[in-house]
Amino acid sequence: MKIFQEEEIRQLVGLNLKAIEIVEEGFAALANGMVTLPPIMRVDIPENNGEVDVKTAYIKGLDTFAIKISSGFFNNPSIGLPSLSGMMLLFSTKTGLAQSILLDNGYLTDVRTAAAGAIAAKYLAKPDVESVGVIGTGTQARYQIEALSLIRQFETIYVYGRKDEAAKNYAVEMEAKLGKKVIVAKSPEEVVKMSEIVITTTPATSPLIKAEWLHPGLHITAMGSDAEHKQELDENIFSKADLIACDVKSQCFRLGELHHAKDKRIIDEEANIIELGEIITGTKTGRTDHGQITVCDLTGTGVQDTVIARFAYEQLVTGKKSFIR
């Protein structure tokens, strides 16, 4: 069994168009009925503001699949540790034997999550945008915007964070990395009203974006809500959106933003909610009009973990870098 550490994984696996492509292929396989996707198992540790998730998926015909264990302990930054951690275990689908342990400390999860955000924007956001916004200043706030820059050209980034210093540090870092102007917003409202694409990347438990802030042409990707108690969007947003998408409907109605909208009886499970895989495979249509308001609810799926773990393993055993930028 091969064991790989975070440092070597980072050296060979990057957030790039290839990573986005393989995650897109995973969503397509899901839509085509080729995936066995068990429910997420989660352990909450509220006294330490923490949680541990276990996700997995088997894609028919492949010789390996991944089981991913990830943790989010959101007090960690106060003691100098990252909020997210974890590992991926790769198993043979022929023998059930463990083939590899990828000790990535959540890096591969970051890559596949950002890739999903880029895919959402690819099919749901306007093709031409000038300004984008992000709520949150952590790792995903960086990765999501970096991934978005691979599939959309834009000039300005608006960022809002609860802590001014973190938002200012984000602005400095991302300006240097992407060569784009980053403006620290005074409120989430400013981010939404000034942006054509908005990404929420927080573990918030009460809405950050209100329905009255929406405007024609806006796309929102909400990726922070992956547990019943989390919520970044006002439920009424779903009554105003022209198109609602998600990664997996059953999962989002249990854990995501759709869960809250269903509880308030704004939408139900029979509503016209489109899964990303359906758009990718052409069975459903994404954005069709410049003025549409679109929303995508991402909770993170085991199929993303299997495809990114397999991709990482391939790069690690062959020594071929996946960086193409």
Side-chain angles (χ1 to χ4, degrees):
M1 183 174 63
K2 299 181 185 298
I3 301 175
F4 297 99
Q5 304 291 330
E6 178 185 359
E7 183 178 353
E8 55 190 325
I9 295 170
R10 285 180 177 271
Q11 287 176 352
L12 292 175
V13 182
L15 176 54
N16 51 47
L17 290 172
K18 184 62 178 177
I20 293 170
E21 179 186 335
I22 65 106
V23 172
E24 193 166 343
E25 290 172 356
F27 282 129
L30 187 61
N32 287 329
M34 297 173 60
V35 178
T36 299
L37 186 69
I40 298 169
M41 186 182 83
R42 188 181 80 246
V43 178
D44 291 320
I45 307 173
E47 59 268 31
N48 292 311
N49 195 16
E51 62 190 51
V52 178
D53 291 335
V54 179
K55 297 181 180 180
T56 185
Y58 164 57
I59 302 174
K60 294 176 184 177
L62 299 187
D63 59 357
T64 56
F65 75 101
I67 296 177
K68 193 269 295 289
I69 305 167
S70 64
S71 65
F73 279 65
F74 301 104
N75 294 338
N76 279 4
S78 66
I79 56 174
L81 295 173
S83 296
L84 304 178
S85 186
M87 68 181 72
M88 295 193 179
L89 312 175
L90 205 60
F91 290 85
S92 167
T93 59
K94 296 179 181 178
T95 65
L97 297 177
Q99 184 167 308
S100 180
I101 300 177
L102 305 172
L103 298 170
D104 66 312
N105 287 317
Y107 171 68
L108 293 175
T109 295
D110 287 333
V111 171
R112 63 79 149 154
T113 303
I119 293 163
K122 175 180 176 180
Y123 291 100
L124 299 170
K126 296 187 297 185
D128 300 313
V129 296
E130 293 185 2
S131 57
V132 304
V134 60
I135 298 176
T137 58
T139 301
Q140 265 307 302
R142 289 162 166 78
Y143 279 54
Q144 286 286 339
I145 295 297
E146 185 178 350
L148 181 60
S149 73
L150 297 174
I151 54 93
R152 285 291 185 273
Q153 297 297 317
F154 50 88
E155 298 298 323
T156 306
I157 303 165
Y158 287 85
V159 60
Y160 173 78
R162 291 178 302 166
K163 297 180 180 178
D164 289 341
E165 184 178 357
K168 290 175 182 176
N169 289 340
Y170 178 95
V172 170
E173 180 184 327
M174 295 301 284
E175 280 190 347
K177 189 164 193 175
L178 298 180
K180 302 179 187 295
K181 184 177 182 181
V182 182
I183 298 172
V184 176
K186 296 181 176 64
S187 66
E189 181 177 2
E190 181 182 354
V191 172
V192 175
K193 289 185 174 180
M194 297 302 294
S195 303
E196 295 157 286
I197 300 173
V198 174
I199 306 167
T200 57
T201 67
T202 75
T205 55
S206 58
L208 300 171
I209 297 181
K210 295 183 179 179
E212 54 263 36
W213 302 343
L214 303 185
H215 53 84
L218 176 65
H219 169 68
I220 298 173
T221 294
M223 52 73 52
S225 179
D226 57 359
E228 295 89 342
H229 62 285
K230 295 181 183 179
Q231 183 178 9
E232 298 181 296
L233 306 183
D234 173 1
E235 305 94 336
N236 292 306
I237 285 173
F238 293 99
S239 66
K240 295 192 173 185
D242 298 298
L243 192 155
I244 303 168
C246 67
D247 44 21
V248 177
K249 283 190 284 189
S250 59
Q251 190 168 291
C252 289
F253 274 115
R254 185 167 65 91
L255 303 173
E257 300 293 339
L258 295 178
H259 150 67
H260 300 286
K262 184 182 77 169
D263 283 356
K264 293 294 178 67
R265 298 184 178 179
I266 293 169
I267 57 175
D268 59 38
E269 296 193 34
E270 301 303 317
N272 185 26
I273 313 297
I274 301 172
E275 293 187 350
L276 284 179
E278 295 176 311
I279 304 175
I280 293 164
T281 57
T283 59
K284 297 287 181 68
T285 304
R287 176 181 288 270
T288 57
D289 184 272
H290 196 76
Q292 284 179 308
I293 296 172
T294 59
V295 180
C296 188
D297 184 10
L298 298 178
T299 50
T301 69
V303 71
Q304 293 166 254
D305 297 314
T306 283
V307 295
I308 199 68
R310 285 173 49 83
F311 177 61
Y313 182 78
E314 178 184 319
Q315 305 306 306
L316 289 159
V317 297
T318 63
K320 295 180 181 179
K321 290 189 176 182
S322 71
F323 292 97
I324 60 175
R325 293 177 62 189

